[in-house]
Amino acid sequence: MKGQLRGAPRIVRVAAAQMGPIQVSDSRESCVQRLCALLHRAADQGATLVVFPELALTTFFPRWFVEDISMVDHYYERSMPSPATAPLFAAARDRNIGFSLGYAELTADGQRFNTQVLVDQTANVVAKYRKVHIPGHASHEPGRAFQHAERYYFSPSDEGFGVWSAFGGRVGMMICNDRRWPETYRELGLQGVELIVCGYNTPLNYIPDPSQDRLAGFHHALVMQAGAYQNGTFVVGVAKGGCEEGVDSLAESLIIAPSGEVLAKTVGNGDEVVVADCDLEWCKNYQNTLFDLDYYRRPEAYRRHIAQRGPSTKADGSPLR
Ligand code: ING
């Protein structure tokens, strides 16, 4: 066990820039104006990194199913930066603040991803991450009050999870449903992550099991606080919240410390900025003690994590279903 605790502070002042709803009638330009206003509010508070939500440039279009997917091509970006997002990159450069931004990506060869970029304080794209865990369904489910057809509109990433040296530390990205899977945090933890930035769009009504609805905020905080603590990393989760095209979505954006404690939380469900000073050295208090992964982990005992997608047999060894 390495044992060293935190050294000289390495403070990153991080802003969670929550958005309220984006209605289908709201233009991309109006979204970029809102994002620029949020960036300026973050910079005014001294932040050097501002985190924006998932799919922050358009309404959450997977809530509708369209047979001809080319009918929604306009919801995707073909480049980042793009002409529409250029003002955000310019504002970031002017204010010497980095950001992460979620958007729908359409590649030149026609692949569709739910994507997030990390941009440094000189407005250079440091990294691009494509969502690994795609929730919802892949075909039209007409009985639903609203669709959640992400598996129709997005392919899962084949690149996995990355961690990049930026903002004086090791920064990783995840998107929305990724935050519910412990594998996400450990894949990042095994790359030495110190700060994970995440955007989300989470309807308060989970149609497959409405009994979970009353626990939406609890489950959202639970998974991010656990992931932060179990990997000794900061986690920032930022919502697109409020009532968007008739669908109420979770707000409750959070900045969480490696201890698992909440350092900052939004109180409304609209456009709102909360800020926290994240001393990345705090990670060492956990990564060099309780969660010294290289000292305590037993990969030889975890083979099922890689070998299986789901459970293969019952406890008595009999085949499942
Ligand atoms: N959204 C959801 C999430 O994991 C979901 C999926 C929908 C969960 C509704 C619960 C209720 O937060 C995305 N975009 O991954």
Side-chain angles (χ1 to χ4, degrees), residues 248-317:
D248 284 316
S249 300
L250 178 70
E252 300 189 31
S253 302
L254 298 172
I255 301 177
I256 297 165
S259 60
E261 294 166 289
V262 173
L263 298 179
K265 178 177 181 179
T266 54
V267 294
N269 59 9
D271 289 18
E272 180 176 347
V273 173
V274 291
V275 172
D277 282 347
C278 301
D279 176 4
L280 301 184
E281 284 293 300
W282 194 352
C283 300
K284 290 179 179 167
N285 285 64
Y286 294 88
Q287 291 180 1
N288 292 353
T289 60
L290 261 177
F291 295 110
D292 180 341
L293 303 183
D294 189 47
Y295 188 76
Y296 289 116
R297 285 187 75 247
R298 302 280 320 287
E300 63 277 9
Y302 311 149
R303 297 183 191 285
R304 292 182 184 83
H305 279 61
I306 301 299
Q308 297 173 216
R309 184 191 304 278
S312 61
T313 59
K314 292 177 184 164
D316 65 5

Side-chain angles (χ1 to χ4, degrees), residues 7-76:
R10 282 185 293 135
I11 293 174
V12 184
R13 181 165 290 183
V14 180
Q18 174 180 291
M19 295 179 84
I22 298 175
Q23 308 306 348
V24 72
S25 57
D26 292 337
S27 69
R28 198 179 248 89
E29 287 67 25
S30 69
C31 293
V32 172
Q33 284 168 8
R34 286 167 60 185
L35 292 167
C36 288
L38 289 165
L39 180 143
H40 284 296
R41 285 163 61 181
D44 291 347
Q45 296 185 63
T48 51
L49 169 62
V50 55
V51 183
F52 293 122
E54 173 191 30
L55 298 173
L57 300 172
T58 67
T59 196
F60 187 78
F61 59 89
R63 71 167 62 86
W64 299 289
F65 191 89
V66 291
E67 286 300 336
D68 174 1
I69 200 166
S70 69
M71 296 295 288
V72 292
D73 282 358
H74 62 285
Y75 284 127
Y76 294 77

Side-chain angles (χ1 to χ4, degrees), residues 12 33 42 57 74 80 90 102 108-109 128 148 155 158 169 172 175 184 196 199 238 263 274 316 320:
V12 184
Q33 284 168 8
L57 300 172
H74 62 285
M80 186 55 66
D109 60 355
K128 182 164 78 173
H148 197 101
S155 297
D158 52 10
I175 301 175
T184 300
I196 303 173
V238 182
L263 298 179
V274 291
D316 65 5
L320 280 179

Side-chain angles (χ1 to χ4, degrees), residues 54 60 114 131 133 135-136 148 150 175-180 200-207:
E54 173 191 30
F60 187 78
N114 188 336
K131 191 171 180 178
H133 298 98
H148 197 101
E150 287 196 56
I175 301 175
C176 202
N177 194 251
D178 286 329
R179 77 190 189 284
R180 299 183 192 276
Y200 59 90
N201 288 233
T202 299
L204 289 173
N205 175 208
Y206 185 55
I207 289 170

